[in-house]
């Protein structure tokens, strides 16, 4: 498995080198016109910079985005970008974004300039198929919910649940000095990998005040956009890799992303096309370039042993391995964990295995399976069966069963704590 620190340093040097070349190419022309070069520092516009995880001044109440709403690509405003280091811990000053069409068309005289491609928006689900989905069901039957409400009324469990929820929220709201990257993968399809990634991303977006990014690094007809409720896709991970520059602001970057609720953003892996590929170089550049804009980034990777997935696991601060709660799934995962034990210690120590129950009764002793997997040094969590998740389609958090919500929150908190231990 490649060393994550090495390739991130290489990409960072390339990005800085490209910015310096662009400044040298634009500098003489800008000086002839009496204006500063594109990479020259500009006066701040609109407020003080803030680091990831630190709420904006004057922002009150839960769920209020600490940044101004991004401008859409259809109505851009002209602004000079500010020179920013690629790993700056602080957020860039708020400013008007460049149009994605303008960003996608580099000047012909610049070194490395290449023809731009402006993709068309495509629907996540074909309109003729959209009506085929049935009305989403609640994750658990009404009788179960009613019985739980009755028990809470006559017992002290409500106070205990509030205490546990408060402690978990405090963990999820911890500030970060640099963006945390969390990779989610599996060893086979159908393990619930995209579902786990979507639950983690929505949980972080719900509790945190800084922007949260979900990256789809699985271009093979991945389901992450559908699970998150995205309606259309345009710019993909491969597209953004050829556009992103170190001097871009948060508003510039979000012009290429899909906006989600609670100040979360999605970068799709493809537009649902057969044969779409994501090369390793594009993934590396995107992850290094975008890390400073988002407090937490959740990456929905390809299944192992794909090259991008292996690099993502080595470079992230925490890893999640989704496993179907079956005998075959646990057996295969145990072999993978044994292989990971031969890697640097932080890899297995920062890995959480999620046993996903896709059917009501899996026929597997979860306690024994978890004990076997924990013996490798990894942590283990269980995502219980949920009718709403099993039905597929858009995940609506208000329809999740209570055990599912609690399990997803605990998982998000544990993974975030592990990510804080790795710089």
């Amino acid at each position: 498995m490649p060393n994550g620190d090495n390739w991130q340093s290489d990409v960072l040097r390339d990005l800085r080198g490209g910015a310096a070349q662009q400044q040298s190419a634009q500098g003489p022309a800008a000086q002839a016109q009496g204006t500063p070069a594109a990479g020259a520092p500009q006066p701040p516009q609109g407020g003080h910079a803030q680091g990831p995880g630190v709420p904006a001044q004057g922002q009150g109440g839960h769920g209020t985005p600490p940044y101004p709403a991004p401008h859409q690509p259809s109505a851009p405003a002209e602004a000079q970008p500010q020179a920013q280091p690629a790993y700056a811990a602080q957020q860039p000053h708020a400013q008007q974004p460049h149009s994605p069409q303008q960003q996608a068309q580099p000047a012909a005289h610049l070194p490395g300039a290449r023809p731009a491609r402006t993709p068309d928006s495509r629907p996540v689900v074909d309109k003729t198929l959209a009506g085929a989905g049935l009305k989403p069901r609640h994750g658990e039957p009404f009788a179960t919910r009613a019985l739980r409400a009755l028990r809470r009324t006559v017992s002290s469990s409500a106070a205990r649940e509030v205490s546990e929820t408060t402690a978990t929220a405090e963990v999820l709201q911890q500030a970060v000095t640099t963006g945390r990257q969390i990779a989610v993968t599996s060893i086979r399809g159908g393990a619930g990998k995209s579902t786990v990634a979507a639950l983690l991303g929505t949980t972080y977006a719900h509790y945190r005040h800084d922007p949260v990014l979900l990256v789809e690094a699985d271009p093979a007809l991945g389901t992450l956009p559908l699970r998150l409720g995205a309606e259309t896709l345009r710019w993909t991970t491969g597209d953004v890799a050829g556009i992103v520059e170190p001097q871009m602001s948060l508003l510039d970057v979000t012009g290429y992303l899909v906006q989600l609720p609670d100040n979360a953003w999605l970068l799709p892996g493809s537009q649902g096309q057969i044969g779409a590929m994501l090369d390793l170089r594009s993934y590396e550049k995107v992850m290094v370039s975008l890390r400073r804009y988002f407090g937490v980034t959740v990456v929905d990777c390809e299944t192992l042993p794909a090259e991008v997935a292996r690099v993502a696991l080595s470079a992230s601060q925490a890893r999640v391995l989704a496993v179907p709660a079956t005998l075959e799934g646990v057996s295969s995962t145990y072999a993978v964990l044994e292989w990971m034990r031969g890697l640097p210690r932080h890899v297995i120590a920062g890995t959480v295995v999620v046993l996903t129950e896709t059917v009501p009764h899996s026929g597997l002793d979860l306690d024994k399976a978890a004990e076997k997997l924990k013996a490798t040094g990894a942590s283990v969590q269980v995502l219980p069966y949920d009718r709403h998740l099993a039905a597929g389609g858009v995940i609506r958090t208000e329809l999740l069963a209570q055990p599912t919500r609690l399990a997803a929150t605990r998982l998000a908190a544990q993974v975030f704590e592990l990510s804080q231990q790795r710089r």
Side-chain angles (χ1 to χ4, degrees), residues 170-218:
E170 290 178 353
V171 172
L172 291 171
Q173 292 173 351
Q174 292 181 44
V176 296
T177 54
T178 57
R180 304 288 88 188
Q181 294 180 358
I182 298 167
V184 183
T185 188
S186 64
I187 59 174
R188 63 180 64 189
K193 169 176 64 69
S194 296
T195 298
V196 171
L199 289 174
L200 286 175
T202 53
T203 301
Y204 292 132
H206 177 76
Y207 282 98
R208 300 188 62 80
H209 293 283
D210 48 13
V212 173
L213 176 65
L214 291 100
V215 176
E216 186 182 38
D218 184 2

Side-chain angles (χ1 to χ4, degrees), residues 104-287:
Q105 299 177 0
H109 68 277
L110 294 181
R114 56 186 176 182
R117 182 182 69 87
T118 302
D120 297 326
S121 295
R122 291 177 177 266
V124 174
V125 179
D126 189 275
K127 293 182 179 180
T128 60
L129 296 175
L134 300 177
K135 182 179 179 181
R137 296 195 303 172
H138 199 283
E140 55 188 350
F142 174 79
T144 303
R145 286 175 279 154
L147 181 59
R148 180 181 298 109
L150 179 61
R151 288 175 177 173
R152 292 182 61 185
T153 303
V154 299
S155 68
S156 60
S157 60
R160 184 170 61 254
E161 289 179 8
V162 171
S163 177
E164 293 176 356
T165 301
T166 302
T168 303
E170 290 178 353
V171 172
L172 291 171
Q173 292 173 351
Q174 292 181 44
V176 296
T177 54
T178 57
R180 304 288 88 188
Q181 294 180 358
I182 298 167
V184 183
T185 188
S186 64
I187 59 174
R188 63 180 64 189
K193 169 176 64 69
S194 296
T195 298
V196 171
L199 289 174
L200 286 175
T202 53
T203 301
Y204 292 132
H206 177 76
Y207 282 98
R208 300 188 62 80
H209 293 283
D210 48 13
V212 173
L213 176 65
L214 291 100
V215 176
E216 186 182 38
D218 184 2
L221 300 178
T223 59
L224 184 62
L226 176 60
R227 294 301 251 171
L228 292 172
E231 296 182 356
T232 60
L233 305 177
R234 188 175 187 182
W235 304 94
T236 66
T237 306
D239 296 328
V240 173
I243 297 171
V244 65
E245 297 292 344
Q247 70 271 17
M248 294 173 68
S249 71
L250 176 65
L251 294 180
D252 292 325
V253 169
T254 54
Y256 301 98
L257 308 179
V258 179
Q259 187 170 11
L260 303 171
D262 290 329
N263 204 28
W265 304 87
L266 167 67
L267 180 56
S270 71
Q271 291 185 321
Q273 297 174 333
I274 298 294
M277 298 295 292
L278 175 62
D279 63 276
L280 184 60
R281 182 60 177 168
S282 297
Y283 173 80
E284 292 173 348
K285 183 177 181 181
V286 165
M287 296 306 295

Side-chain angles (χ1 to χ4, degrees), residues 369-417:
E371 182 179 355
K372 181 67 174 179
L373 296 176
K374 288 179 180 178
T376 63
S379 303
V380 180
Q381 294 277 0
V382 176
L383 184 64
Y385 172 76
D386 187 290
R387 296 190 311 178
H388 179 61
L389 292 179
V394 181
I395 297 177
R396 296 175 53 182
T397 54
E398 71 274 12
L399 295 181
L400 293 175
Q402 186 187 37
T404 304
R405 290 197 297 270
L406 294 176
T409 306
R410 286 195 297 265
L411 172 63
Q414 182 179 17
V415 173
F416 183 76
E417 279 191 308

Side-chain angles (χ1 to χ4, degrees), residues 355-366:
L355 292 171
T356 59
E357 292 188 287
T358 57
V359 294
H361 306 287
S362 61
L364 181 72
D365 188 326
L366 294 177

